[in-house]
Short mmCIF file of all heavy atoms in Angstrom, two decimals:
data_model
loop_
_atom_site.label_atom_id
_atom_site.label_comp_id
_atom_site.label_asym_id
_atom_site.label_seq_id
_atom_site.Cartn_x
_atom_site.Cartn_y
_atom_site.Cartn_z
N ARG A 385 -16.37 20.28 23.60
CA ARG A 385 -15.47 21.08 24.50
C ARG A 385 -15.19 20.38 25.82
O ARG A 385 -14.03 20.41 26.20
CB ARG A 385 -16.43 22.36 24.83
CG ARG A 385 -15.77 23.14 25.91
CD ARG A 385 -16.65 24.34 26.35
NE ARG A 385 -16.42 24.69 27.75
CZ ARG A 385 -16.78 25.79 28.33
NH1 ARG A 385 -17.40 26.59 27.61
NH2 ARG A 385 -16.56 25.91 29.56
N SER A 386 -16.12 19.65 26.38
CA SER A 386 -15.75 19.04 27.57
C SER A 386 -14.82 17.80 27.40
O SER A 386 -13.91 17.55 28.23
CB SER A 386 -16.93 18.68 28.47
OG SER A 386 -17.56 17.50 28.05
N ASP A 387 -14.97 17.13 26.26
CA ASP A 387 -14.04 16.04 25.85
C ASP A 387 -12.59 16.72 25.76
O ASP A 387 -11.65 16.09 26.20
CB ASP A 387 -14.35 15.33 24.66
CG ASP A 387 -15.61 14.47 24.81
OD1 ASP A 387 -16.03 14.36 25.98
OD2 ASP A 387 -16.16 14.06 23.80
N LEU A 388 -12.56 17.82 25.17
CA LEU A 388 -11.26 18.44 24.89
C LEU A 388 -10.61 18.89 26.28
O LEU A 388 -9.46 18.75 26.50
CB LEU A 388 -11.47 19.70 24.11
CG LEU A 388 -11.06 19.61 22.68
CD1 LEU A 388 -11.32 20.92 21.91
CD2 LEU A 388 -9.54 19.40 22.59
N GLU A 389 -11.50 19.35 27.10
CA GLU A 389 -10.97 19.77 28.53
C GLU A 389 -10.52 18.48 29.25
O GLU A 389 -9.53 18.65 29.96
CB GLU A 389 -12.06 20.57 29.25
CG GLU A 389 -12.23 21.99 28.76
CD GLU A 389 -13.44 22.67 29.30
OE1 GLU A 389 -14.42 21.99 29.78
OE2 GLU A 389 -13.36 24.01 29.31
N GLY A 390 -11.16 17.47 28.99
CA GLY A 390 -10.71 16.17 29.57
C GLY A 390 -9.33 15.80 29.10
O GLY A 390 -8.40 15.42 29.83
N TRP A 391 -9.20 15.97 27.81
CA TRP A 391 -7.88 15.59 27.18
C TRP A 391 -6.75 16.48 27.75
O TRP A 391 -5.79 16.02 28.10
CB TRP A 391 -8.00 15.90 25.60
CG TRP A 391 -6.77 15.71 24.82
CD1 TRP A 391 -6.06 14.54 24.57
CD2 TRP A 391 -5.97 16.78 24.23
NE1 TRP A 391 -4.96 14.84 23.84
CE2 TRP A 391 -4.83 16.12 23.67
CE3 TRP A 391 -6.12 18.17 24.28
CZ2 TRP A 391 -3.82 16.91 23.04
CZ3 TRP A 391 -5.16 18.96 23.47
CH2 TRP A 391 -4.04 18.26 22.90
N VAL A 392 -7.03 17.82 27.91
CA VAL A 392 -6.07 18.78 28.44
C VAL A 392 -5.70 18.33 29.83
O VAL A 392 -4.51 18.35 30.28
CB VAL A 392 -6.66 20.17 28.46
CG1 VAL A 392 -5.79 21.08 29.30
CG2 VAL A 392 -6.71 20.69 26.95
N SER A 393 -6.73 17.86 30.65
CA SER A 393 -6.43 17.56 31.99
C SER A 393 -5.65 16.29 32.20
O SER A 393 -5.01 16.07 33.22
CB SER A 393 -7.76 17.40 32.83
OG SER A 393 -8.35 16.27 32.42
N ARG A 394 -5.58 15.49 31.11
CA ARG A 394 -4.76 14.31 31.25
C ARG A 394 -3.43 14.42 30.56
O ARG A 394 -2.55 13.49 30.69
CB ARG A 394 -5.50 13.12 30.44
CG ARG A 394 -6.75 12.56 31.24
CD ARG A 394 -7.20 11.29 30.78
NE ARG A 394 -7.70 11.31 29.28
CZ ARG A 394 -8.88 11.81 29.00
NH1 ARG A 394 -9.64 12.28 29.84
NH2 ARG A 394 -9.15 11.83 27.66
N LEU A 395 -3.08 15.53 30.00
CA LEU A 395 -1.84 15.77 29.34
C LEU A 395 -0.65 15.36 30.20
O LEU A 395 0.29 14.58 29.88
CB LEU A 395 -1.66 17.20 28.92
CG LEU A 395 -2.38 17.60 27.68
CD1 LEU A 395 -2.13 19.14 27.32
CD2 LEU A 395 -2.04 16.77 26.43
N GLU A 396 -0.65 15.90 31.50
CA GLU A 396 0.54 15.76 32.28
C GLU A 396 0.71 14.22 32.64
O GLU A 396 1.92 13.78 32.69
CB GLU A 396 0.46 16.58 33.61
CG GLU A 396 1.69 16.47 34.43
CD GLU A 396 1.89 17.69 35.36
OE1 GLU A 396 0.99 18.57 35.47
OE2 GLU A 396 3.07 17.76 35.82
N ALA A 397 -0.38 13.61 32.90
CA ALA A 397 -0.27 12.13 33.30
C ALA A 397 0.39 11.42 32.09
O ALA A 397 1.23 10.49 32.26
CB ALA A 397 -1.57 11.60 33.66
N TRP A 398 0.01 11.72 30.87
CA TRP A 398 0.56 11.06 29.74
C TRP A 398 2.04 11.34 29.57
O TRP A 398 2.85 10.48 29.36
CB TRP A 398 -0.15 11.50 28.45
CG TRP A 398 -1.40 10.80 28.13
CD1 TRP A 398 -1.64 9.51 28.18
CD2 TRP A 398 -2.66 11.37 27.58
NE1 TRP A 398 -2.87 9.16 27.77
CE2 TRP A 398 -3.57 10.28 27.43
CE3 TRP A 398 -3.05 12.61 27.36
CZ2 TRP A 398 -4.80 10.56 26.87
CZ3 TRP A 398 -4.37 12.87 26.87
CH2 TRP A 398 -5.23 11.83 26.61
N VAL A 399 2.36 12.65 29.74
CA VAL A 399 3.78 13.06 29.63
C VAL A 399 4.58 12.26 30.75
O VAL A 399 5.69 11.78 30.36
CB VAL A 399 3.88 14.57 29.80
CG1 VAL A 399 5.35 14.97 30.02
CG2 VAL A 399 3.20 15.29 28.67
N ASP A 400 4.17 12.23 31.90
CA ASP A 400 4.88 11.47 32.88
C ASP A 400 5.02 10.04 32.63
O ASP A 400 5.96 9.39 33.11
CB ASP A 400 4.10 11.68 34.30
CG ASP A 400 4.35 13.08 34.78
OD1 ASP A 400 5.23 13.86 34.35
OD2 ASP A 400 3.51 13.53 35.67
N ARG A 401 4.08 9.51 31.89
CA ARG A 401 4.28 8.04 31.49
C ARG A 401 4.91 7.92 30.14
O ARG A 401 4.96 6.73 29.59
CB ARG A 401 2.86 7.29 31.51
CG ARG A 401 2.36 7.09 32.90
CD ARG A 401 1.11 6.17 32.91
NE ARG A 401 0.06 6.78 32.08
CZ ARG A 401 -0.48 6.35 31.02
NH1 ARG A 401 0.03 5.22 30.40
NH2 ARG A 401 -1.42 6.94 30.33
N TRP A 402 5.37 8.92 29.50
CA TRP A 402 5.85 8.90 28.09
C TRP A 402 4.82 8.30 27.20
O TRP A 402 5.17 7.59 26.26
CB TRP A 402 7.17 8.11 28.11
CG TRP A 402 8.27 8.68 28.96
CD1 TRP A 402 8.47 8.45 30.26
CD2 TRP A 402 9.24 9.63 28.52
NE1 TRP A 402 9.53 9.20 30.66
CE2 TRP A 402 9.94 9.94 29.65
CE3 TRP A 402 9.48 10.33 27.29
CZ2 TRP A 402 11.09 10.94 29.66
CZ3 TRP A 402 10.54 11.14 27.27
CH2 TRP A 402 11.27 11.47 28.43
N ALA A 403 3.58 8.52 27.50
CA ALA A 403 2.54 7.89 26.70
C ALA A 403 2.13 8.79 25.54
O ALA A 403 0.99 9.06 25.33
CB ALA A 403 1.29 7.60 27.53
N TYR A 404 3.13 9.16 24.79
CA TYR A 404 2.88 10.09 23.62
C TYR A 404 1.94 9.50 22.52
O TYR A 404 1.21 10.25 22.01
CB TYR A 404 4.16 10.64 23.01
CG TYR A 404 4.83 11.50 24.01
CD1 TYR A 404 6.12 11.23 24.51
CD2 TYR A 404 4.16 12.59 24.53
CE1 TYR A 404 6.72 12.10 25.42
CE2 TYR A 404 4.73 13.47 25.56
CZ TYR A 404 6.04 13.18 25.89
OH TYR A 404 6.69 14.02 26.83
N PRO A 405 2.03 8.22 22.26
CA PRO A 405 1.15 7.69 21.18
C PRO A 405 -0.32 7.93 21.61
O PRO A 405 -1.17 8.27 20.89
CB PRO A 405 1.51 6.22 21.13
CG PRO A 405 2.99 6.21 21.55
CD PRO A 405 3.06 7.22 22.56
N GLU A 406 -0.64 7.67 22.89
CA GLU A 406 -1.99 7.82 23.36
C GLU A 406 -2.40 9.29 23.33
O GLU A 406 -3.51 9.64 22.92
CB GLU A 406 -2.19 7.37 24.81
CG GLU A 406 -2.24 5.88 24.94
CD GLU A 406 -1.02 5.24 25.48
OE1 GLU A 406 -0.04 5.50 24.93
OE2 GLU A 406 -1.08 4.56 26.54
N LEU A 407 -1.46 10.12 23.86
CA LEU A 407 -1.87 11.57 23.93
C LEU A 407 -2.15 12.05 22.47
O LEU A 407 -3.14 12.74 22.25
CB LEU A 407 -0.67 12.36 24.43
CG LEU A 407 -0.64 13.77 24.63
CD1 LEU A 407 0.38 14.27 25.64
CD2 LEU A 407 -0.44 14.55 23.32
N ARG A 408 -1.35 11.67 21.47
CA ARG A 408 -1.60 12.03 20.13
C ARG A 408 -2.79 11.51 19.59
O ARG A 408 -3.58 12.21 18.88
CB ARG A 408 -0.32 11.64 19.32
CG ARG A 408 -0.24 12.29 17.94
CD ARG A 408 0.07 11.27 16.91
NE ARG A 408 -0.82 10.07 16.94
CZ ARG A 408 -1.88 9.90 16.17
NH1 ARG A 408 -2.13 10.78 15.18
NH2 ARG A 408 -2.62 8.85 16.15
N ARG A 409 -3.00 10.24 19.85
CA ARG A 409 -4.07 9.57 19.15
C ARG A 409 -5.44 10.27 19.48
O ARG A 409 -6.28 10.69 18.73
CB ARG A 409 -4.28 8.13 19.67
CG ARG A 409 -5.25 7.24 18.84
CD ARG A 409 -5.18 5.82 19.24
NE ARG A 409 -3.89 5.31 19.54
CZ ARG A 409 -3.45 4.63 20.49
NH1 ARG A 409 -4.34 4.54 21.59
NH2 ARG A 409 -2.21 4.23 20.64
N GLU A 410 -5.60 10.66 20.77
CA GLU A 410 -6.71 11.34 21.24
C GLU A 410 -6.78 12.71 20.67
O GLU A 410 -7.91 13.27 20.37
CB GLU A 410 -6.85 11.41 22.82
CG GLU A 410 -8.25 11.62 23.30
CD GLU A 410 -8.43 11.40 24.69
OE1 GLU A 410 -8.14 10.22 25.21
OE2 GLU A 410 -8.90 12.29 25.40
#
Side-chain angles (χ1 to χ4, degrees):
R385 169 186 153 164
S386 83
D387 289 352
L388 255 177
E389 285 171 334
W391 173 73
V392 167
S393 70
R394 289 195 297 283
L395 285 178
E396 184 155 13
W398 275 316
V399 170
D400 288 341
R401 288 191 296 115
W402 299 88
Y404 292 121
E406 280 106 305
L407 182 157
R408 189 228 56 101
R409 195 177 313 125
E410 201 168 304

